[in-house]
Amino acid sequence: MKDDYAASRYEEACALLPLRLRTAALSLDFRKKAMAEEIRLRIGRKIYLTLPEGETALPETMVTRNDLEQVLDKAAEYSRYAAAETIRHGYVTAAGGFRVGLCGTALPGNAGNEGLRDISSLAIRIPRVREGTALPILPELLEDGRPVSTLVLSPPGGGKTTLLRDLVRLLSQGTELCSPCRVALVDERGELAAIHRGRPQLEVGCHTDVMDGCPKHLAVPMLLRAMTPQVIALDEIALAADVEAVCTAAGCGAALLATVHAASLEELRNRNVGRALLECGVFQRVVLIEGRGSERRSRVEKL
């Protein structure tokens, strides 16, 4: 990924900030712009940037409640009513594919959380399309030119979503190693394709159908019935219902691509959800992402 592109994505994210904070954020040196993963705002604190080496404060910044309200309004295109469904789940996806995570006072109800008030902090995640990231490992994820079901593991922030996005793109458009596949992408939190008004903001391939904002256990059977996918991709398997959806889909002839938080296979086996994923016998490969930033590497193991 070129540094110019990486820095430009940071600058696009800064457009969500109020002018006073935007000016300070744009004064950052080029290298940090290219490396920044998140912009974090907390009331009464400086802006913090998430870099591969950790969080660093921006000098001459102090975040107010009004700053957070302005960011949320801009991300929601000044219609919080239209964004109410995702706000109650703690995020908004802004134009350009920037996911804004929200914290504040929850409003619990009979059907779960019904919204947030008194926003106290937010995190603007900066997604970047790293085309070619999955290319080195693609041959190990194919058998007779067809993808096999694969789990992608890393700790939070380790690059799972970026790798999965590129893998979806490669399988969808086809390569010298495999013909194009129909890919059904479950983008529950709007991080993979970043659908905005029906159009993906991030490249996921020309043969990819995206189900946006729908829980995985509901989206998978819908896609199987309606889109006859050859590959189903899901980000961040975390619930027992997600595992059940994966196991159900496995008997329908589609290859499964899924990510899960874990630093190793051993850690995955020590969690109930992870153990269930491995025991259901769906997955034939696991990709382990190790290291941070420029030191990040992926390796494949057979299951």
Side-chain angles (χ1 to χ4, degrees):
M1 181 181 60
K2 295 185 180 300
D3 287 347
D4 287 346
Y5 162 73
S8 72
R9 289 293 286 168
Y10 170 83
E11 291 171 354
E12 289 176 40
C14 289
L16 292 169
L17 301 173
L19 180 59
R20 173 180 61 86
L21 299 178
R22 189 188 319 153
T23 301
L26 289 174
S27 67
L28 196 67
D29 71 72
F30 180 81
R31 187 195 72 83
K32 288 184 177 179
K33 284 183 181 180
M35 297 296 291
E37 299 170 355
E38 293 177 329
I39 303 170
R40 289 186 169 266
L41 289 79
R42 304 173 177 99
I43 292 177
R45 305 287 183 182
K46 295 177 181 179
I47 290 181
Y48 279 82
L49 302 180
T50 303
L51 300 170
E53 61 266 26
E55 289 193 10
T56 184
L58 282 178
E60 308 301 325
T61 59
M62 189 61 67
V63 177
T64 67
R65 182 182 304 278
N66 187 55
D67 292 329
L68 299 187
E69 297 293 335
Q70 288 187 54
V71 173
L72 178 54
D73 281 336
K74 187 171 286 190
E77 297 187 325
Y78 301 95
S79 178
R80 295 194 192 186
Y81 175 79
E85 180 62 23
T86 62
I87 288 175
R88 77 182 184 89
H89 290 294
Y91 71 94
V92 174
T93 301
F98 300 100
R99 180 171 170 267
V100 181
L102 308 169
C103 270
T105 302
L107 302 173
N110 293 332
N113 187 49
E114 296 181 354
L116 289 171
R117 63 175 175 84
D118 298 333
I119 303 301
S120 57
S121 63
L122 56 82
I124 304 171
R125 185 168 293 186
I126 307 169
R128 297 179 174 96
V129 175
R130 290 179 164 89
E131 292 194 0
T133 300
L135 200 54
I137 62 170
L138 182 62
E140 298 180 78
L141 307 183
L142 301 173
E143 287 185 357
D144 298 323
R146 297 180 180 179
V148 297
S149 294
T150 300
L151 270 178
V152 180
L153 308 185
S154 86
K160 295 183 301 299
T161 300
T162 300
L163 182 68
L164 179 62
R165 184 189 300 115
D166 195 54
L167 189 55
V168 165
R169 180 188 66 84
L170 290 171
L171 294 174
S172 177
Q173 70 183 25
T175 71
E176 294 178 351
L177 300 173
C178 61
S179 300
C181 297
R182 292 187 305 276
V183 182
L185 177 58
V186 182
D187 199 5
E188 183 174 354
R189 300 187 303 172
E191 290 189 281
L192 284 160
I195 294 288
H196 184 71
R197 297 184 178 179
R199 186 184 182 95
Q201 303 293 292
L202 304 172
E203 183 57 61
V204 289
C206 56
H207 297 287
T208 299
D209 303 299
V210 183
M211 184 66 76
D212 179 62
C214 183
K216 289 179 272 293
H217 69 281
L218 299 177
V220 169
M222 291 169 64
L223 289 165
L224 285 169
R225 286 193 298 266
M227 305 310 295
T228 59
Q230 295 167 300
V231 177
I232 299 176
L234 315 93
D235 202 15
E236 296 193 12
I237 302 296
L239 304 174
D242 300 339
V243 177
E244 185 177 348
V246 165
C247 294
T248 300
C252 298
L256 276 293
L257 307 175
T259 70
V260 63
H261 286 321
S264 65
L265 271 172
E266 182 181 2
E267 182 179 322
L268 186 65
R269 290 190 181 99
N270 288 332
R271 297 177 180 172
N272 291 336
V273 166
R275 190 161 52 250
L277 275 175
L278 295 174
E279 289 176 353
C280 71
V282 172
F283 296 99
Q284 297 162 267
R285 302 286 190 278
V286 60
V287 179
L288 297 121
I289 304 176
E290 300 165 330
R292 302 281 296 183
S294 61
E295 301 300 317
R296 189 175 290 161
R297 297 290 182 271
S298 300
R299 62 181 176 89
V300 179
E301 291 186 12
K302 290 187 177 182
L303 291 174

